[in-house]
Amino acid sequence: MRDGRGMETVCAKFDDRALAFVNKLSDPVLLVNLAGEIYAKNEEFLKSSNNLSLNQLSLVELSSLVVKSFEKKHFPLSHDASVCCSTIVDPLDRTHSLYLYPHMFPGTHAVILENYKNEDILQRVLDCIPSKVFWKDRSGKYLGGNHLFLADCGLTSSEQLVGHTDYDFFSDRESDHFVADDEQVMSSGQPKLDIEEPQTRVDGKVNWLQTSKVPIRNHDEKVIGIMGSYTDITERRIYQELIEGQALRDQLTNLHNRQALQEFFDQLEHDEERRYGGLLFIDLDNFKTVNDTLGHAVGDKLLRMVASRIRDAAQDDGFVVRLGGDEFAVVLMSEKVGDEEVLLEKTDQLAVNIKEAILKSYLLDSHNIQLGVSIGITYFYSGNTNWVDTFNEAELAMYYAKAKEKNTIKVFCEKMRVQHTRINRIQVMLSRAIENKEFYLNIQPQYDAEQKIIGAEALLRWNSEELGLVSPAEFIPLAEQSGTIHNIGMWVFEEAFNLVHEWSEKYGAENVLPLAVNLSAKQFQCPDLLEGVKKLLQKFPIETSLIHFELTESLLVESEMDAIEKLKELSNLGFPLSIDDFGTGYSCLAYLNQLPIDRIKIDKSFTLQINEDSRQASLVETIISMAKNLNMKVIAEGVETEEQLQYLLQHGCLEFQGFYFSKPVSVLEYQNFIELQLNNTSVCE
């Protein structure tokens, strides 16, 4: 019917019989006549259309599209709106109506109705909806369903459905769930919309459904039944889980990734049982060397092998994660409350097993590779843990393991947190120490066999305004880690050069004794080192022989050929060179005769034990003999007793440094020593 009066009649009939019912659908529905007039929209459509952006089709444009598509018998893509169709057939006059599904209104059903002579138009409209639709009375008996729902139940007609309950078509377990769900909606009078839930079919296959249920009310607003609709979203769910699974997996090792670990802990927050858990933080040692020397392709293969060993060690008990780079994690949870001791034993054993597995050599592309590992452990309770804090505790324990020695396992304790806080504060304050003039030098004199001062060593000290006196053993490693050692080292050089210059002006260069300064491996690697030293010589014109550079064995080991070239250039400038702490390693012995070294310093750890440990004494004797054979001077540091002094003298060591002679003193006190010695020398002369 195309005239206004007929349309009013049709709309009235439809509103009375169907529109109120269609309003219960969670899917948006739009009704359009062949003239392109929109005469009915359900509530969900109104909600959807209110959220449309400006670049989407208007309702008028949509109705026009629907009619044109019907007339031309084709369904184009317009405005990125794919159009799907179905047909309503009126068996009395065989006129056709058209159903369209435009995606620019997500989930919207546009229905063209040319003729409403048939009384079962409601059924026909619902049969056009691509969702399974059903409705029940207050007792849970089915009153009807569209053809998709009938097919889902294995039925061919409404007569097979009406009057039956869920127990006639589904398992008791699922039916119990459906009935309880229906009752909740009808009792509360509140709809449940777009709930995703699994459904186990008769053949055992599990499908995922997106379900909506709304209460049906009579004219008195009394709930008299329920209407439901659902869509099979199994494929979407599978795809979603696949995508999510990929997002939670490390692409290289196929282990869980950091995001997965965080989600794991998020789930533990809701664990009401308060089970006990352990977190292992695993960091490989020496892996960077593999990447640098053998390439990233070999490094990737090695990481996959390590991941496999960790996974095998954890078996099915642990949640294994690759955090990134050469870092891994494993989480263990107790099976029940009160199993703390059991979990502690399992975690400790797992850490040992992982360490032993990683330490075994790797044969890879004809390379025999050896790795080390540091493991940190912390413990927690589910339902009462903070992911960030727990992770930081395990990581901190790992760093303490790595700092102590290689291939070590450490369990977090609160003392670590306190120390870590202090370390962080020291690192912050270090960057300001030079500017705040908090550094100063102490001087420790060096003596010969006649106990005469022959030189001294400049020792850096730090009196922080906030922290007080901070030991060099504490702040020097941190300065090396942070890179501030370069600026600090150059400050020491400048102070030493300045002191030697002042003493030369005051006492005459011939009366100035050499001053030794330490040169760390990290500072030595600075590309501007030599240039900085040359600039200091321009600023403080001194005899270069009066500044001794003391180098550690580690400097030579880490720098190798580059170190040799830099040392030769320093030597060419006239600076004497010493190897400090000699004896703590032997890596430089192979090319010691290639280096322009003038003096060897025996490490104090050997000096202190020469009278108690025969092996240490033998080592000291060897160092003295080797130095003589290489035409190098030798000085022993850490001399504290008369017995140590006499032993060293007997074996040919003639230069000394230690508390037996003098503790480190201020610059002013050292100047007094020098002046006194100069005066005594003048009197004797």
Side-chain angles (χ1 to χ4, degrees), residues 132-165:
K132 288 91 169 174
V133 182
F134 62 86
W135 51 101
K136 304 175 185 176
D137 63 16
R138 192 65 177 80
S139 67
K141 293 181 180 180
Y142 283 100
L143 299 175
N146 69 354
H147 74 99
L148 291 178
F149 179 76
L150 293 175
D152 208 38
C153 297
L155 307 177
T156 58
S157 67
S158 296
E159 288 75 14
Q160 296 173 297
L161 174 68
V162 176
H164 292 277
T165 69

Side-chain angles (χ1 to χ4, degrees), residues 252 283-306 322 324-328 362 364-365 367-371:
L252 178 65
D283 183 82
L284 303 180
D285 299 325
N286 309 323
F287 179 76
K288 184 177 182 300
T289 304
V290 175
N291 268 345
D292 292 344
T293 57
L294 302 180
H296 288 275
V298 174
D300 287 348
K301 291 180 182 179
L302 183 59
L303 285 174
R304 284 193 287 268
M305 295 176 71
V306 170
R322 183 191 176 207
D326 60 353
E327 295 178 339
F328 299 83
Y362 303 81
L364 189 59
D365 294 353
H367 302 288
N368 195 340
I369 302 172
Q370 199 74 41
L371 291 176

Side-chain angles (χ1 to χ4, degrees), residues 475-495:
F475 73 80
I476 292 295
L478 297 177
E480 291 180 336
Q481 291 175 18
S482 64
T484 55
I485 190 66
H486 302 303
N487 291 334
I488 294 173
M490 289 309 300
W491 180 90
V492 172
F493 290 174
E494 184 167 3
E495 287 294 303

Side-chain angles (χ1 to χ4, degrees), residues 657-672:
Q657 180 179 337
F659 284 9
Y660 177 79
F661 299 95
S662 173
K663 294 181 180 181
V665 298
S666 68
V667 172
L668 183 59
E669 288 176 297
Y670 177 71
Q671 288 180 181
N672 291 336

